[in-house]
Amino acid sequence: MKVLVATEKPFAKPAVDGIKNIISEAGFDFALLEKYTEKKQLLDAVADADAIIIRSDIVDAEVLAAAKNLKIVVRAGAGYDNVDLDAATKAGVCVMNTPGQNANAVAELVLGLLVFTVRNFYNGKSGSELMGKKLGLLAFGNVGRNVARIAKGFGMEVYAYDAFCPASAIESAGVKAVANQNELFQTCDIVSLHIPATPETKNSINYDMVGQMKKGGILINTARKEVIDEAGLLKLMAEREDLKYITDIMPAANDEFSKFEGRYFSTPKKMGAQTAEANTNAGLAAARQIVDFIKNGNEKFRVNK
Ligand code: 3PG
């Protein structure tokens, strides 16, 4: 039984060591493919793998076809939009994620980026504070809940809307529930996106949606590039010189947002979950889930039908 860790963006070393221990103790073989630069390297590496642990690595029909022995793919993280679920189901492959394991890391980055933003990117000029500001969370899953917890420590007023989480559950976490997404954008000084990339959310953060924000509004996206209608947001930011856009998404080679100097910041590469702790939590959970699946058939975290 061979378990492959295939990560273009590698885990921190303690996470790799921990995964290797769990796999070896289960009596399985361990293989590692890190920082690969071509898909061919991934296709070659998966050829004899029974299980794969990935991060944002693309597992499409071609990868699945090349992995003849594959039984399970675990995305060490939350979002699994990088895996072709239908193709996996057709190939008889179980797909899982490790929900919540890297949520605190992403949430800490949100608050870190917000302090950096309201202090004018530390450019030496007087800034503002987060205390008393209204923070809107679009989606109240694992990351949203962690952002709420930390933001309350900053003295922020936290609001949330989640199409799949009842208002009562939001309120019982000490967060104000609003009736819909429009109300969130109209009410809050800052809106932080925590929605997954799905056909329904794709391009949903558009000109009209963000255009409802109050003067000086800040939009922060540590979720997925796909949820933003970039053409609409570019048009809006050109019209509204008060708006700021902060993102944890690798910028395009010709990043059109970079013209909004002082109102736009992007991490050079998706960094939300890039901590030793998050790598270890998610990586070890993935390894344990694989062992439990192979040995006991446990499918608790399965995301494909
Ligand atoms: C996730 O979906 O868990 C995060 O976006 C982290 O992705 P990464 O493992 O590629 O950093």
Side-chain angles (χ1 to χ4, degrees):
M1 194 64 58
K2 182 166 176 181
V3 181
L4 170 73
V5 172
T7 48
E8 179 273 321
K9 185 172 54 182
F11 287 122
K13 191 173 180 303
V16 177
D17 292 344
I19 295 169
K20 193 174 175 185
N21 277 344
I22 291 170
I23 299 305
S24 308
E25 274 172 21
F28 302 161
D29 295 328
F30 172 84
L32 183 62
L33 173 70
E34 286 183 332
K35 297 187 195 169
Y36 58 93
T37 50
E38 284 165 28
K39 190 175 185 181
K40 168 94 173 57
Q41 293 170 274
L42 179 61
L43 295 174
D44 290 345
V46 299
D48 60 352
D50 297 275
I52 318 176
I53 296 174
I54 53 162
R55 296 186 63 179
S56 292
D57 307 81
I58 306 292
V59 172
D60 58 14
E62 192 184 2
V63 174
L64 290 160
K68 299 267 179 278
N69 299 340
L70 195 63
K71 294 153 189 70
I72 178 167
V73 177
V74 182
R75 191 285 191 244
Y80 43 86
D81 45 310
N82 48 321
V83 182
D84 185 333
L85 296 186
D86 290 339
T89 301
K90 279 188 199 122
V93 172
C94 174
V95 182
M96 295 185 187
N97 65 348
T98 64
Q101 298 288 351
N102 58 18
N104 181 66
V106 180
E108 287 191 12
L109 184 73
V110 170
L111 271 298
L113 286 171
L114 286 179
V115 173
F116 180 57
T117 303
V118 297
R119 294 303 181 99
N120 298 316
F121 308 137
Y122 307 146
N123 69 355
K125 293 194 183 137
S126 180
S128 58
E129 299 179 23
L130 294 175
M131 182 181 269
K133 302 295 185 305
K134 292 184 167 76
L135 172 65
L137 306 173
L138 185 56
F140 202 61
N142 290 307
V143 180
R145 284 167 191 268
N146 275 283
V147 175
R149 172 180 54 80
I150 303 169
K152 282 195 266 176
F154 275 84
M156 301 187 82
E157 265 185 62
V158 188
Y159 293 74
Y161 174 73
D162 189 318
F164 303 98
C165 178
S168 56
I170 293 173
E171 297 274 345
S172 66
V175 171
K176 292 172 187 151
V178 294
N180 54 52
Q181 195 164 307
N182 289 323
E183 194 184 332
L184 193 78
F185 277 83
Q186 288 158 10
T187 307
C188 296
D189 303 297
I190 300 164
V191 172
S192 187
L193 305 179
H194 302 293
I195 45 177
T198 65
E200 291 74 33
T201 62
K202 200 172 172 208
N203 292 328
S204 64
I205 308 305
N206 56 24
Y207 179 92
D208 291 337
M209 185 60 63
V210 186
Q212 302 179 91
M213 289 191 83
K214 293 189 274 193
K215 193 165 187 302
I218 300 171
L219 175 68
I220 176 162
N221 182 18
T222 55
R224 290 288 182 272
K225 178 185 172 70
E226 290 76 13
V227 304
I228 304 278
D229 170 6
E230 290 194 335
L233 187 57
L234 281 163
K235 179 170 180 277
L236 182 68
M237 286 185 71
E239 290 171 16
R240 292 251 326 245
E241 293 190 1
D242 59 299
L243 290 178
K244 292 192 174 79
Y245 176 43
I246 308 302
T247 173
D248 179 32
I249 289 164
M250 190 163 93
N254 176 20
D255 183 11
E256 289 192 68
F257 285 99
S258 61
K259 66 185 173 211
F260 300 119
E261 216 192 317
R263 298 197 286 132
Y264 169 69
F265 176 81
S266 173
T267 53
K269 194 167 197 176
K270 194 159 179 56
M271 296 304 297
Q274 195 65 323
T275 67
E277 292 88 343
N279 288 175
T280 303
N281 293 341
L284 269 55
R288 290 191 187 108
Q289 286 172 215
I290 286 175
V291 173
D292 204 16
F293 173 79
I294 302 282
K295 297 207 166 183
N296 309 314
N298 188 339
E299 298 196 353
K300 181 171 174 199
F301 295 104
R302 185 173 186 135
V303 294
N304 62 331
K305 299 271 186 275

